[in-house]
């Protein structure tokens, strides 16, 4: 197609490049005096409805993502019968050009630069995945590196929405069906059609034309990482057929990796380039975290093996590099921007700030949001430790040591070792859910603040900790409007209702119903999410009427005047009564867990003997997913849609993690105690964890001991609480064995 001279108020200067889905031009924005990139749909494709729809979908895709590592979209324009996307101009080299430059010197890219660049790519991909968007064409040509080092992921032209969905249907006008013989195509060229992606970077499932999910982008990230480390493509060939063949059948040339490649990176590469997508690392967030940890260890080995790094740069052109393990888990925070900013500012003056409020008001999410916002101010990192419910007095110190990777040695106590690790570094600790052990948490905070002059702590609890110079940050419900749906509470209800599958129409009557519901539940986030989960099965008008009927049946005249804790419990009770019998039982069993459960552990406690650990397997990954585990996963996902649990995505289906909010735990535990067979359920729970601990602790001395130790660390709170549940249910034999195994693990771990 001929190059246009102008598009709207953009003055086109020259062509920058072209591909299967469009031509990109350099242009000047005459209104704002800035350079932009303009992507045009080729003339021969403009009249194709399928290609045009894909072009417009790219615009919507980019508009849905706002992240420093993804090139932004400024708008979509039409001129002389053609369509154009106006995009941020990402100046600098493509990663492909950078790799060519390194190849000309006869050496691969430096390790530190590789980890930095790939970590930023992973961060951009993670942001897309959080929006349910799969890139499907991640490759060096689609990565730009600005002169200041900021990486931009480009070209979402064949991206698709949804996780683990089949590849988008291809209309006949745009299909390129790969047949026999397979047409030759150079590696690096994007194929659009029945097979979508770029040979050499597309995953095996893409190459076969099968369903793709986030794991396809993780594969491509692994290919890029391998190429940066070695200067060679992981999967190369002279023809398309050759490239597809090695992708499906061959392994990368592992011997080409530099001898200095850290073990952490080798493990990550193997996980990313697993040909079976169900066994492959499925989460870009985990890849980003592993790259960050490897970069941190490379730059500062003295900070320890488990030190991790997050890259942030939302507020500046230069990327700040800070350490920590904090990530925002569970449903994203809606609203609370002003409170989070206020909490960050308060930390500049106070060394301990405790966020207090009723269960379900959003304390944990506010604290983690503020910690994420404050990362740039703490060169020693922002670290999260979740204080799980347990009677063990030393539990908070154990959990904090595990979170920071501290291993006491030389006769030093846990507290002394924690203080040694933090020392004079500027560090922010987020101690979440301190209400489970307020005394030990308060003492631990006081000891560390006294020993570490640059330490700051954000704690969450039902009540203040009572530590000297503590600043209390009271938290209530979200802001609620009186007669319309534009408040923070209303935005949360509408977003969660949509997530649950409800269709919320933009009508005046809808706004009134939303406002009324939010006002009734006092803007409490958990109560709103639970109500929103019901919106998928009934309209908002019916939901409002049903709520009034429910309150009348319970003898509650004015819900908005009730204590916040009672409001949350009433809403949980309402949803619980709507659950199928089998899901109620699962929820009751989940209340026995501390720190969340995997699909496998939930299935095992539900009576699935084939979900117990296999002593013959020396891999923490375990066996393949069973049919019952698939059903349990579906039920857990439905409970999450109802607002009754939070899902944390793991590396595979069996290890996806679900956690109940604390008020749901309290409610479900109460219902468990009322249920027939509660003692048998408690015993089944304790017996599973005993089998788990016997298997894992028994392998700590083997070649894979470190991997098993990490598994035990992740489940430490569950194991401790299982021992206490066994004691409470008078299963003294199981309790004694669990206590002994926990002592063995603590001795191995040094805590």
């Amino acid at each position: 197609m001929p190059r246009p001279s102008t598009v709207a108020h953009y003055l086109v200067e020259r062509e920058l490049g072209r591909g299967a889905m469009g031509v990109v031009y350099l242009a000047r924005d005459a209104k704002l005096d800035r350079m932009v990139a303009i992507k045009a749909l080729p003339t021969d494709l403009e009249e194709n409805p399928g290609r045009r729809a894909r072009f417009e979908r790219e615009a919507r895709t980019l508009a849905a993502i706002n992240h420093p590592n993804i090139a932004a979209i400024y708008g979509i324009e039409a001129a002389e019968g053609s369509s154009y996307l106006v995009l941020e101009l990402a100046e600098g080299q493509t990663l492909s050009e950078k790799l060519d430059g390194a190849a000309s010197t006869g050496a691969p890219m430096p390790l530190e630069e590789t980890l930095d660049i790939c970590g930023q790519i992973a961060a951009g991909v993670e942001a897309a995945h959080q929006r349910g968007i799969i890139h499907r064409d991640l490759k060096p040509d689609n990565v730009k590196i600005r002169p200041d080092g900021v990486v931009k992921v480009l070209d979402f032209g064949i991206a698709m929405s949804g996780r683990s969905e089949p590849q988008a249907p291809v209309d006949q006008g745009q299909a390129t069906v790969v047949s026999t013989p397979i047409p030759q195509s150079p590696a690096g060229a994007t194929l659009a059609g029945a097979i979508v992606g770029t040979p050499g970077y597309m995953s095996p499932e893409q190459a076969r034309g099968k369903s793709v999910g986030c794991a396809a982008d993780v594969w491509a990230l692994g290919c890029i990482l391998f190429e940066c480390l070695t200067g060679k493509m992981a999967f190369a060939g002279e023809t398309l057929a050759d490239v597809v063949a090695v992708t499906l059948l061959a392994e990368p040339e592992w011997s080409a990796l530099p001898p200095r490649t850290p073990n952490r990176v080798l493990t990550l590469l193997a996980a990313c380039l697993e040909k079976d997508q169900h066994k492959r690392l499925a989460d870009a967030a985990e890849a980003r975290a592993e790259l960050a940890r490897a970069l941190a260890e490379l730059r500062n080995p003295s900070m320890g093996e488990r030190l991790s790094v997050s890259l942030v740069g939302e507020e500046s052109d230069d990327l700040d590099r800070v350490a920590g393990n904090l990530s925002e888990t569970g449903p994203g925070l809606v609203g609370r921007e002003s409170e989070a900013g206020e909490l960050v500012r308060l930390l500049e003056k106070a060394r301990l700030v405790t966020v207090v409020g009723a269960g379900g008001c959003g304390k944990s999410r506010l604290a983690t949001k503020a910690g994420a916002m404050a990362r740039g101010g703490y060169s020693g990192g922002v670290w999260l430790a979740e204080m799980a419910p347990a009677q063990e007095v030393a539990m908070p110190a154990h959990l904090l040591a595990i979170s920071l990777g501290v291993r006491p040695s030389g006769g030093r106590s846990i507290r002394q070792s924690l203080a040694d690790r933090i020392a004079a570094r500027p560090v922010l600790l987020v101690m979440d859910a301190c209400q489970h052990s307020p005394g030990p948490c308060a003492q631990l905070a006081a000891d560390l603040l006294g020993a570490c002059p640059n330490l700051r702590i954000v704690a969450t609890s039902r009540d203040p900790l009572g530590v000297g110079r503590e600043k209390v940050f009271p938290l209530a419900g979200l802001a609620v409007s009186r007669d319309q749906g534009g408040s923070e509470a209303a935005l949360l209800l509408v977003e969660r209702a949509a997530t649950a599958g409800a269709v919320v129409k933009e009508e005046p009557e809808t706004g009134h119903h939303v406002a009324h519901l939010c006002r009734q539940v006092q803007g409490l986030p958990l109560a709103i999410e639970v109500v929103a989960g019901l919106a998928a099965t009934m309209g908002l008008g019916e939901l409002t009427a049903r709520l009034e009927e429910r309150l009348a049946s319970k003898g509650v005249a004015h819900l908005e005047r009730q204590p916040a804790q009672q409001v949350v419990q009433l809403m949980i009770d309402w949803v619980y009564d709507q659950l199928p019998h089998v899901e109620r039982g699962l929820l009751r069993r989940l209340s026995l867990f501390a720190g969340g459960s995997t699909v496998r552990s939930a299935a095992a406690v539900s009576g699935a003997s084939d979900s117990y650990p296999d002593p013959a397997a020396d891999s923490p990954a375990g066996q393949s997913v069973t049919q019952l585990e698939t059903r349990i996963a579906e039920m857990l996902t439905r409970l999450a849609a109802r607002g009754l649990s939070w899902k944390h995505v793991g590396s595979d289906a069996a290890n996806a993690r679900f956690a109940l909010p604390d008020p749901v735990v309290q409610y479900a535990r109460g219902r468990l105690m009322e249920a027939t067979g509660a003692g048998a359920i408690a015993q089944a729970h304790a017996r599973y964890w005993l089998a788990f601990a016997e298997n894992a602790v028994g392998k700590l001395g083997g070649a894979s001991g470190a991997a098993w130790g990490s598994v035990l660390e992740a489940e430490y709170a569950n194991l401790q609480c299982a021992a206490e549940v066994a004691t409470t249910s008078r299963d003294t034999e199981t309790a004694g064995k669990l206590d002994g195994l926990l002592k063995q693990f603590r001795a191995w771990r040094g805590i």
Side-chain angles (χ1 to χ4, degrees):
M1 63 182 296
R3 174 170 66 86
S5 57
T6 61
V7 175
H9 56 277
Y10 300 96
L11 308 178
V12 179
E13 294 188 1
R14 59 184 173 85
E15 181 178 317
L16 291 175
R18 61 178 58 221
M21 292 306 299
V23 184
V24 182
Y25 300 107
L26 175 68
R28 178 176 295 279
D29 184 340
K31 289 186 177 180
L32 298 179
D33 193 27
R34 62 179 176 181
M35 302 306 294
V36 299
I38 291 185
K39 183 174 182 178
L41 186 63
T43 304
D44 60 327
L45 303 180
E46 180 72 29
E47 297 176 359
N48 185 309
R51 289 294 179 95
R52 183 177 178 83
R54 187 180 291 278
F55 191 77
E56 293 171 351
R57 185 161 60 248
E58 181 182 4
R60 292 192 297 271
T61 297
L62 287 171
I65 311 172
N66 180 18
H67 191 272
N69 294 125
I70 294 180
I73 184 170
Y74 298 145
I76 186 167
E77 301 286 351
E80 298 181 358
S82 296
S83 301
Y84 301 87
L85 300 184
V86 183
L87 306 167
E88 173 188 358
L89 177 64
E91 298 181 334
Q93 289 181 302
T94 64
L95 179 56
S96 181
E97 292 168 340
K98 193 170 191 66
L99 287 166
D100 289 343
S104 67
T105 67
M109 287 169 48
L111 177 59
E112 182 174 341
E113 186 177 28
T114 290
L115 297 178
D116 187 1
I117 290 172
C118 290
Q120 293 186 62
I121 295 172
V125 173
E126 177 187 358
H129 289 179
Q130 287 173 347
R131 288 287 186 177
I133 295 166
I134 303 164
H135 191 286
R136 294 203 296 178
D137 201 21
L138 198 62
K139 58 185 177 182
D141 280 334
N142 287 341
V143 174
K144 268 286 185 76
I145 304 162
R146 293 192 332 198
D148 60 1
V150 175
V151 171
K152 295 285 186 179
V153 177
L154 312 175
D155 199 350
F156 281 71
I158 62 171
M160 63 179 248
S161 297
R163 294 179 183 270
S164 298
E165 297 291 338
Q167 298 198 46
V170 181
D171 63 89
Q172 294 301 314
Q174 68 152 334
T176 303
V177 179
V178 177
S179 57
T180 303
I182 299 176
Q184 293 189 4
S185 175
T190 302
L191 299 177
I195 292 181
V196 180
T198 297
Y201 302 95
M202 68 167 67
S203 64
E205 61 269 23
Q206 280 178 283
R208 290 189 174 104
K210 293 188 175 182
S211 298
V212 298
C214 296
D217 286 346
V218 173
W219 171 280
L221 176 65
C223 291
I224 292 172
L225 176 58
F226 184 93
E227 190 170 353
C228 290
L229 289 168
T230 65
K232 302 178 179 181
M233 289 181 64
F235 305 97
E238 294 182 3
T239 68
L240 171 61
D242 293 334
V243 177
V244 171
V246 296
T247 298
L248 296 177
L249 303 174
E251 286 292 312
E253 188 182 346
W254 297 115
S255 60
L257 288 164
R260 189 167 166 255
T261 306
N263 285 334
R264 186 183 294 279
V265 176
L266 295 175
T267 301
L268 175 62
L269 272 171
C272 290
L273 297 179
E274 169 61 52
K275 295 187 188 297
D276 185 343
Q277 63 174 318
H278 301 295
K279 297 179 181 179
R280 190 182 313 144
L281 182 71
D283 194 348
E286 293 185 26
R288 187 265 306 159
E290 282 300 282
L291 288 164
R293 292 185 185 105
L295 183 61
E297 292 166 2
L298 183 66
R299 289 172 171 161
N300 189 5
S302 65
M303 281 296 283
E305 180 184 343
R306 284 173 57 87
L307 186 65
S308 63
V309 168
S310 297
L311 303 179
V312 296
E314 290 86 344
E315 304 299 331
S316 65
D317 290 333
D318 296 325
L319 286 175
D320 298 317
R321 294 169 174 84
V322 295
N325 72 335
L326 181 137
S327 62
E328 295 181 67
T329 58
L333 187 70
V334 174
R336 301 287 199 202
E337 296 296 333
S338 61
E339 289 97 331
E342 183 182 350
L343 182 53
V344 171
R345 290 189 292 273
L346 188 56
L347 283 166
E348 297 174 359
K349 303 175 182 178
R351 297 187 61 202
L352 170 63
V353 180
T354 304
V355 182
V356 301
C361 71
K363 300 184 295 294
S364 298
R365 278 179 273 182
L366 177 66
T368 53
K369 177 67 174 179
M373 291 172 60
R375 276 194 183 106
Y378 297 91
S379 59
V382 180
W383 301 85
L384 171 66
E386 298 179 9
M387 303 291 108
Q391 300 301 313
E392 173 62 48
V393 173
M395 189 74 166
H398 290 166
L399 293 172
L400 190 56
I402 288 171
S403 295
L404 270 69
V406 169
R407 288 180 174 270
S409 60
R412 304 286 283 171
S413 69
I414 295 178
R415 279 174 166 73
Q416 290 170 331
S417 299
L418 285 166
D420 291 343
R421 168 60 58 83
I422 298 169
R425 297 182 181 92
V427 166
L428 175 62
L429 294 182
V430 179
M431 295 176 61
D432 189 29
C434 293
Q435 69 270 10
H436 294 305
S437 48
C441 285
Q443 189 59 57
L444 178 61
D447 291 348
L448 293 177
L449 288 169
C452 308
N454 294 316
L455 173 65
R456 296 287 191 276
I457 297 176
V458 173
T460 70
S461 186
R462 299 283 173 82
D463 301 293
L465 296 182
V467 177
R469 298 189 179 182
E470 172 188 25
K471 292 292 183 183
V472 177
F473 192 100
L475 193 65
L478 292 164
V480 178
S481 65
R482 298 302 303 174
D483 57 0
Q484 56 183 346
S487 65
E488 289 185 340
L491 292 173
L492 176 62
L493 191 150
V494 170
E495 179 178 303
R496 296 294 189 261
T499 301
V503 178
V504 182
K505 298 179 180 179
E506 295 184 5
E507 298 173 348
E509 191 66 22
T510 297
H512 293 311
H513 289 310
V514 168
H516 176 75
L517 289 167
C518 292
R519 190 166 58 252
Q520 282 281 75
V521 299
Q522 302 177 22
L524 294 163
L526 181 56
I528 290 173
E529 290 171 344
V530 169
V531 169
L534 293 173
T537 57
M538 63 184 85
L540 290 173
E542 182 183 355
L543 186 58
T544 303
R546 291 280 188 89
L547 176 58
E548 299 301 329
E549 294 172 3
R550 179 76 179 185
L551 296 177
S553 70
K554 295 290 184 179
V556 179
H558 300 285
L559 183 62
E560 67 272 21
R561 299 178 188 175
Q562 301 299 317
Q565 192 64 35
Q566 184 176 350
V567 172
V568 173
Q569 292 293 308
L570 281 167
M571 294 303 100
I572 295 171
D573 182 68
W574 188 20
V575 175
Y576 179 86
D577 284 349
Q578 315 265 337
L579 295 176
H581 176 75
V582 66
E583 291 183 16
R584 292 185 197 176
L586 178 59
L587 190 68
R588 292 194 296 266
R589 289 189 292 275
L590 290 175
S591 71
L592 294 173
F593 289 80
S597 67
T598 63
V599 172
R600 179 150 291 153
S601 59
V605 173
S606 299
S609 59
D610 51 359
S611 292
Y612 271 61
D614 178 7
D618 192 23
S619 170
Q623 59 269 31
S624 59
V625 179
T626 68
Q627 193 171 22
L628 179 59
E629 286 169 357
T630 300
R631 289 174 53 201
I632 292 288
E634 292 170 353
M635 286 191 285
L636 288 168
T637 301
R638 287 196 293 271
L639 290 176
R642 295 272 196 175
L644 296 173
S645 72
W646 293 345
K647 181 179 180 181
H648 309 276
V649 179
S651 58
D652 56 60
N655 290 318
R657 202 169 191 86
F658 292 80
L660 305 186
D662 197 45
V664 178
V665 171
Q666 293 178 18
Y667 176 86
R669 183 75 65 89
R671 297 304 292 259
L672 174 64
M673 295 301 102
E674 298 170 359
T676 302
I681 292 173
Q683 290 175 353
H685 175 269
R687 284 196 299 270
Y688 165 72
W689 286 114
L690 175 60
F692 180 95
E694 287 175 335
N695 185 54
V697 172
K699 292 174 179 174
L700 289 176
S704 57
W708 286 103
S710 296
V711 170
L712 285 164
E713 288 180 351
E715 301 294 3
Y716 181 72
N718 270 321
L719 292 166
Q720 183 65 55
C721 288
E724 295 175 5
V725 168
T727 300
T728 302
S729 60
R730 299 181 181 180
D731 186 354
T732 54
E733 181 181 357
T734 299
K737 289 180 178 179
L738 273 169
D739 283 334
L741 290 163
L742 281 166
K743 287 178 182 177
Q744 291 181 52
F745 166 66
R746 285 195 290 265
W748 177 86
R749 184 58 178 71
I751 59 175

